[in-house]
Amino acid sequence: MSEIRLPSWDEVEAEAVRLALAASAAELHGALSGWLAAGGKDLPGWIAEVMADPAMPAPVEGDPLDRLRAATVAQLGDADFGFDLLLPEGEGDQVAVRAGALFAWCRAFLGGFGLAVGDKALGEEDQEALGDIANLAAARIDEVDPENDEESLVEIEEYVRMAVLLLHADCALGPRQRSRLH
């Protein structure tokens, strides 16, 4: 995994509350990740772009939201696939909380991705990955079996992580590599 670490869930959540943002830490990271994966620009004032609200304040350099942006950009570009999802920590009875955060992350990812993707043609694998993320975004938690659900959640998180890296490679890195060749 990458040596570039995301700020903690609590830091990002506290900053979102301080700024009165109507988004959780998972939603902020999901939207930012979607924006960047689709080829959106790395901008210091990313919140206004990603949340499609020009009135949103720009993060202050070095604050948790600025560090979230910098770490996400670095992780997406990490050749060792060091991208992480910003989700709350915990095990056992926290599975429902983490799953809910993952579903919110996926919903926000789709929003950020949609804002940045424009008219880019997506390949079959990209469409499948987006469809799977959309299915997770629409998921609900009915009952929780902490022991079995913990393992399933870890597998789903890993799948989402790899789907994001695939989309980023195809939508953001691929076009940049092609433009450097011309």
Side-chain angles (χ1 to χ4, degrees), residues 54-125:
M56 290 282 192
V60 175
E61 186 175 340
D63 80 4
L65 297 180
D66 183 57
R67 293 191 337 260
L68 180 68
R69 176 200 52 79
T72 303
V73 168
Q75 287 185 356
L76 284 170
D78 182 11
D80 293 328
F81 308 112
F83 178 72
D84 290 314
L85 307 178
L86 182 63
L87 298 172
E89 300 288 324
E91 294 182 1
D93 61 350
Q94 296 296 312
V95 169
V97 171
R98 287 181 40 232
L102 175 63
F103 300 157
W105 192 100
C106 290
R107 283 190 297 276
F109 177 89
L110 293 172
F113 191 90
L115 284 171
V117 75
D119 61 357
K120 291 179 189 140
L122 298 178
E124 190 174 320
E125 282 185 337

Side-chain angles (χ1 to χ4, degrees), residues 147-158:
E147 196 170 305
N148 292 327
D149 290 349
E150 173 69 27
E151 186 176 321
S152 297
L153 185 59
V154 168
E155 290 174 11
I156 292 168
E157 288 173 14
E158 179 64 12

Side-chain angles (χ1 to χ4, degrees), residues 111-147:
F113 191 90
L115 284 171
V117 75
D119 61 357
K120 291 179 189 140
L122 298 178
E124 190 174 320
E125 282 185 337
D126 295 329
Q127 290 177 21
E128 183 177 329
L130 281 173
D132 290 341
I133 292 172
N135 287 336
L136 288 168
R140 291 187 354 208
I141 303 162
D142 293 325
E143 294 181 27
V144 176
D145 174 3
E147 196 170 305

